[in-house]
Structure formats: structure tokens, C-alpha cells
Amino acid sequence: QGHISVNLLRVGGASGIVLVRWRIASSLSTLDTTSTQTDFGLQQGAVVMENGESQVPLTITITDDDIPEQDEVFYLVVWQVMGGDAVIDSDRRYARLSIAQNDDANGVIGFSSPRVFTEELIGHNPVALTLLRSRGAFGAVAVHWQLVNATAHGTDIGFGPDAEVSGTVLFSSLQTVQT
């Protein structure tokens, strides 16, 4: 969960109690429609400006949905005021706000299994390892890999003279499995 705090301002006087209704819109063309985005705790609400108050804080709860997304733009719209002598300034009735990309849009890469067993054979004995890309698959991704010598029961395990000891695995956009 996160929050965006915005101050609503009343200019030209601060007399009387004013109820200010607001809503979230997903684009400039939909300022008169409440958003259906699920990234917010509330899609609309109201705040009260007491007599003498010229600004009040408005806090919008942002839901961290763990869905990979690019930067998201939305609009906070004042759509109705009631009480006092308040009117909506048509030039300043909305604010453009952004939620920065905070998910793993390009994915998280890992092996399909933490252990792989193979038999020691003389000659060519390739081992195929599968990589998985989860939590996002936007864009192409290159994974660089390298083998390092290991030991089994204190004995050095070497790689044959023709063994590939490094390389690159490419994932295309939206691809989630690669061997």
C-alpha cells in the first residue's frame, strides 16, 4: 500500500463550510466519469473545508497489486462543491498524477528446479536447464550465464574441452519459459 497526498486549495476567500466532492478519472477524456481502475482504495469521496480553511489535505490510497504495469497516469477531479460561496475553477478542476512503475515489468528470472541431476558419461552429455520468467514479461530480456567448476565429494568436476561454459539466453517479449 502507498499513498498520494494532495492539498485542495480554496482561493478568493475562506468563509463558510464547503463540501468538496472528488473522483479519480483514468484520462482527460473521462474527467466526468469515475475510474474503474483497481489501483486505488477509493474511486471517489468528499472532504469538508471548515469556515476559515483555505486548504485541506486529501490522501488517496494506492493499492500495490503486484501486476506488472508501466507508469500509470490518472486524474484527481473536483466535480462538485456545496456550501459557502465556493465554485469550481474550470481551469484548475483536475490534477494529473502518476504512479511510477514499481513492479517487475520485465520479470524475475529463475531456474525451474533448484537441483539438476545428470549421469557422468564419457563424451557429449548435454544438460538442459529451464529458465522461468515470472511476475512480468514486458519487453525482450537477455540472461547471461556462466558455468563455474564445482566439486562432488571433494573431487573437482571439470567440463569437457567442447563444453559451453558461458552464453546468453534470450527471452522475447511475453515469453516466460526458455531452455
Side-chain angles (χ1 to χ4, degrees), residues 26-109:
S26 46
S27 69
L28 280 174
S29 63
T30 62
L31 288 180
D32 296 322
T33 306
T34 301
S35 173
T36 58
Q37 289 178 291
T38 59
D39 295 310
F40 313 103
L42 291 175
Q43 301 291 330
Q44 59 186 346
V47 294
V48 174
M49 299 182 96
E50 297 292 339
N51 187 38
E53 279 188 312
S54 59
Q55 68 178 0
V56 293
L58 171 61
T59 300
I60 300 167
T61 301
I62 306 298
T63 303
D64 189 3
D65 55 15
D66 206 27
I67 297 170
E69 301 162 307
Q70 301 297 325
D71 289 353
E72 295 178 79
V73 173
F74 66 98
Y75 297 85
L76 175 62
V77 182
V78 172
W79 64 276
Q80 185 181 46
V81 294
M82 297 186 307
D85 293 332
V87 294
I88 297 173
D89 181 346
S90 61
D91 292 333
R92 296 171 40 176
R93 74 182 194 115
Y94 67 88
R96 182 182 189 271
L97 304 170
S98 296
I99 302 171
Q101 172 186 324
N102 68 339
D103 304 303
D104 298 308
N106 298 117
V108 175
I109 309 293

Side-chain angles (χ1 to χ4, degrees), residues 106-110 131-133 137-146 167-175 178:
N106 298 117
V108 175
I109 309 293
L131 292 173
L132 302 178
R133 181 181 185 188
F138 292 125
V141 172
V143 178
H144 303 286
W145 61 271
Q146 180 177 357
T168 302
V169 175
L170 300 175
F171 284 84
S172 60
S173 186
L174 305 180
Q175 184 178 12
Q178 184 64 285

